[in-house]
Amino acid sequence: MSLIHLFFIFFYIGLFAIGGGLVAATFMQQTLVEQYQLISAEKFYSMLAISESTPGPIGINLATYIGMELYGPVGAIVTTLGEILPSLVVIMIIARCFSRFQDKPLVKAAFSGLRPATSGMVLIALVQVFTIALLNTNAFQAAGGFSLAGLKDFFCWPAVALFEACLVILFRTKLHPVVIIALGAVFGVLFL
């Protein structure tokens, strides 16, 4: 795939990923993993986890990381520009016109429709990350589907234990989420 094609893929993602980085991540997963098979699903979700752990917008971090992985520094610049350029253009147009149209019923209805659609896209990203992180998809495919007898094989139990421990720590202590993310990264490197 050429850099120009990659730029337009990320331009498309940046243009239609209304709702933030997890929506963009869903588009990236569908386009780069499923459609073009440029990277594996496991590698993509590892990249997503790292992008969520680093400071800055998730979608832009992920775009930069993917570009760097595929084409080095030039690829990182191309994918980042492709990801952010549509937002810059759209925001400049909206900022110029929004005050005149914000009270129109059609504009209000459009925003009312965008909220649940965006929530659905974020939910899809959540389910996909959950599946890759906590489930043993190879065991599920080998068994030909779900069965209660093989339930113990369908989960990556160290990852499930880490997930539960992080939830307990997050909700029972005042430990900052960044510390929990860092501890999760260390645990993953050492034990998973």
Side-chain angles (χ1 to χ4, degrees):
M1 175 176 294
S2 71
L3 281 171
I4 293 171
H5 190 194
L6 197 62
F7 171 83
F8 282 111
I9 286 172
F10 279 89
F11 187 88
Y12 162 79
I13 291 167
L15 186 61
F16 291 104
I18 298 168
L22 289 177
V23 174
T26 301
F27 282 146
M28 288 180 209
Q29 188 270 338
Q30 290 171 344
T31 306
L32 301 171
V33 175
E34 294 175 11
Q35 185 176 355
Y36 292 107
Q37 288 135 10
L38 289 175
I39 51 179
S40 68
E42 187 173 309
K43 184 165 186 107
F44 177 81
Y45 287 112
S46 295
M47 295 168 111
L48 178 61
I50 291 169
S51 298
E52 288 178 334
S53 303
T54 56
I58 296 168
I60 296 170
N61 289 349
L62 186 56
T64 305
Y65 190 2
I66 290 170
M68 185 72 175
E69 185 72 22
L70 295 175
Y71 289 98
V74 173
I77 292 168
V78 166
T79 55
T80 303
L81 284 175
E83 179 74 17
I84 65 172
L85 192 59
S87 298
L88 290 174
V89 171
V90 168
I91 289 298
M92 288 175 18
I93 292 169
I94 289 174
R96 194 157 170 87
C97 304
F98 190 67
S99 61
R100 287 183 272 168
F101 298 108
Q102 68 185 2
D103 293 327
K104 302 284 184 197
L106 189 60
V107 173
K108 287 183 177 182
F111 279 110
S112 294
L114 284 173
R115 286 184 198 107
T118 301
S119 299
M121 294 296 287
V122 170
L123 181 63
I124 288 170
L126 172 75
V127 168
Q128 290 172 339
V129 169
F130 178 85
T131 302
I132 293 293
L134 300 179
L135 299 180
N136 184 352
T137 53
N138 293 334
F140 186 77
Q141 291 170 349
F146 181 78
S147 71
L148 288 176
L151 185 62
K152 65 177 177 48
D153 297 329
F154 292 130
F155 289 96
C156 176
W157 291 108
V160 171
L162 176 63
F163 176 72
E164 290 175 357
C166 288
L167 282 178
V168 168
I169 292 169
L170 184 64
F171 290 116
R172 301 254 180 189
T173 68
K174 294 184 186 245
L175 199 59
H176 197 278
V178 171
V179 175
I180 296 170
I181 291 170
L183 291 172
V186 169
F187 183 87
V189 167
L190 296 176
F191 300 107
L192 295 178

